[in-house]
Amino acid sequence: MIFDSPRMQVLLKAYENEPDFMVPEIVFLARTDKLENERTYFEELLGKAPAIKHKDWLGRLFSEDHEQFRSVWFEIMLYGWLMKIGSIEVEPIIEGNYPDYSVQLNGQWVIVEARAILETAEEREEMRFEAGIFWALKKIEKPYLVEVAGTRSSSKLPDWINFQMQVSRWLDTKPNDVFEYNDGSNIIVLKTSQTQSQNRKTVSAFISPGFGRRITSEPIKRPLREKAHQHSALRKAGYAYVIALYLESWFLSAEEVAKAWLGEEVWTVNFEKKEVVETSSDKSGIHFAGLQIRHTTVSGTLVFRNDWSSAEKCSYLRAWYVENPFAKVPLDSALFPVEARYVVTDKSGKGFRMAWVKS
């Protein structure tokens, strides 16, 4: 057993007084009621895995390092996802190579290589900082709705007890004024909302709207290139080859994966008639380099994000599929139970069009 093991009990004891946002993910998974059935699911999946992979997964699952834990979490969840759609082998020996998975779909063996694209350290620190604000405010027993109007964080988190004391004093004395917490490293600006309710027992908070960030496909290109170059013997032998990407950051989606492969869409517009004349790619994707089309031995890309079901008390993988229109070994995208597919919808002498098609 994973979560009843002595090793797990030592970790739980070490972090028993820390709030959820300050503990390693394995500790949060082990102790939260919200993921009760996910723990059972992991026990089941590791029990079905080959002995050597079971040992590898178990060792990495106990890692207190975010990247190690989240990468193996995806490998295990992907194992369960693939198991539901076909006959699966973990790290099979094929053509002298050891791919992550092979799965038989409709009589055809498909090689699946997994890669997790994780949040940056800066993104994780920002999320921890915001989680700390909400955690600290919720501890204050006053019936206020508070807007977090601005923040500036550093690598050193605030003294949350001191923060709570200052906020509590502000709410008792000048709740209609803007409050600024400044400890020399971090700044938190708060305002009380005009919408209040005496039914509240503790402070509730929300983030000020209007936060913006430029979203780009650039972080995805290098991982795709690396996976596209792996297992050359398998690809030369004519196996269908699929890359399975896990996107942790909320700033990335399957649309960015399509753009990483094929580039941004360019629209040619007739302004007099106010209509689109033509659409094309700007060829900034990694399929295009020089005069030749690259990465034709990749059949397609499965894109995953995780979500959580309160009813099931378990996380689950949401999936999309991006077809490679240049694939030497194409796959029927209908083989995969995904939410939507980016596929060729029209062909002509000039080329082809691709679009998202919902399942």
Side-chain angles (χ1 to χ4, degrees):
M1 299 292 284
I2 304 169
F3 298 101
D4 292 333
S5 67
R7 187 177 180 183
M8 190 72 256
Q9 299 310 308
V10 169
L11 272 178
L12 288 171
K13 180 68 175 177
Y15 290 96
E16 64 179 342
N17 295 320
E18 294 287 345
D20 287 342
F21 67 93
M22 291 295 292
V23 303
E25 289 197 65
I26 183 62
V27 174
F28 177 73
L29 174 58
R31 75 185 191 184
T32 179
D33 292 338
K34 294 180 179 179
L35 296 173
E36 178 182 351
N37 292 328
E38 186 164 325
R39 294 192 289 272
T40 303
Y41 186 50
F42 266 41
E43 300 276 10
E44 175 188 335
L45 291 176
L46 265 73
K48 293 179 179 178
I52 189 168
K53 201 60 190 176
H54 179 282
K55 184 178 180 181
D56 170 52
W57 279 347
L58 191 60
R60 292 161 59 204
L61 193 64
F62 271 98
S63 174
E64 296 180 54
D65 177 75
H66 172 84
E67 293 186 4
Q68 279 288 331
F69 174 87
R70 190 50 59 179
S71 294
V72 74
W73 178 92
F74 173 55
E75 288 181 35
I76 297 169
M77 293 293 281
L78 179 60
Y79 176 51
W81 191 89
L82 292 170
M83 193 182 294
K84 294 176 183 176
I85 66 173
S87 176
I88 184 174
E89 293 185 16
V90 182
E91 289 190 353
I93 306 174
I94 307 175
E95 301 288 335
N97 286 244
Y98 295 82
D100 290 330
Y101 305 100
S102 63
V103 59
Q104 192 173 41
L105 302 174
N106 201 24
Q108 179 181 16
W109 281 102
V110 178
I111 305 302
V112 179
E113 270 295 308
R115 178 65 182 263
I117 300 178
L118 303 176
E119 293 168 340
T120 65
E122 290 76 15
E123 287 175 326
R124 291 197 298 274
E125 285 301 317
E126 183 179 330
M127 291 178 65
R128 180 176 289 185
F129 179 65
E130 291 184 358
I133 295 173
F134 281 85
W135 172 83
L137 290 175
K138 194 173 182 180
K139 295 281 186 179
I140 301 173
E141 296 183 353
K142 298 183 186 299
Y144 283 94
L145 177 61
V146 170
E147 175 187 350
V148 182
T151 61
R152 190 187 73 192
S153 62
S154 69
S155 57
K156 181 182 179 182
L157 290 174
D159 178 340
W160 294 118
I161 301 300
N162 179 262
F163 171 71
Q164 288 173 338
M165 291 174 58
Q166 291 193 36
V167 171
S168 184
R169 190 181 305 120
W170 163 60
L171 293 174
D172 284 339
T173 57
K174 298 180 179 180
N176 294 325
D177 292 352
V178 175
F179 169 82
E180 180 178 297
Y181 172 84
N182 189 334
D183 62 5
S185 300
N186 304 281
I187 295 176
I188 304 169
V189 180
L190 304 177
K191 299 177 182 177
T192 53
S193 172
Q194 293 181 354
T195 305
Q196 299 294 343
S197 171
Q198 293 303 315
N199 293 327
R200 289 190 182 88
K201 295 183 179 179
T202 61
V203 171
S204 300
F206 64 96
I207 295 288
S208 177
F211 173 76
R213 175 172 174 164
R214 183 175 179 269
I215 298 175
T216 172
S217 63
E218 288 303 314
I220 299 172
K221 290 181 179 180
R222 182 177 176 181
L224 282 178
R225 286 194 196 97
E226 291 174 350
K227 281 297 177 183
H229 284 122
Q230 281 189 281
H231 307 301
S232 60
L234 291 175
R235 293 181 286 108
K236 288 178 181 177
Y239 282 89
Y241 187 84
V242 171
I243 299 172
L245 283 186
Y246 169 63
L247 304 179
E248 183 181 36
S249 173
W250 286 105
F251 299 110
L252 297 175
S253 69
E255 284 80 2
E256 279 68 59
V257 176
K259 291 174 183 177
W261 281 120
L262 297 157
E264 298 282 345
E265 193 172 33
V266 179
W267 297 55
T268 303
V269 179
N270 184 320
F271 285 97
E272 290 184 1
K273 295 183 178 181
K274 296 181 180 179
E275 62 182 25
V276 176
V277 177
E278 186 180 29
T279 59
S280 61
S281 166
D282 68 358
K283 296 187 178 179
S284 62
I286 63 174
H287 273 312
F288 308 105
L291 298 176
Q292 290 187 327
I293 302 296
R294 297 196 173 192
H295 309 305
T296 58
T297 53
V298 176
S299 301
T301 308
L302 282 164
V303 185
F304 294 95
R305 296 187 58 82
N306 77 295
D307 212 333
W308 172 71
S309 168
S310 58
E312 298 294 330
K313 293 188 176 181
C314 185
S315 303
Y316 64 94
L317 292 176
R318 301 178 60 191
W320 296 261
Y321 185 73
V322 178
E323 178 181 77
N324 181 357
F326 312 111
K328 290 181 179 178
V329 185
L331 278 174
D332 181 1
S333 63
L335 292 171
F336 302 106
V338 296
E339 295 185 20
R341 302 165 172 83
Y342 194 66
V343 296
V344 174
T345 56
D346 181 45
K347 288 186 177 182
S348 69
K350 291 183 178 181
F352 58 85
R353 292 180 184 274
M354 296 187 74
W356 284 103
V357 177
K358 289 186 177 182
S359 301

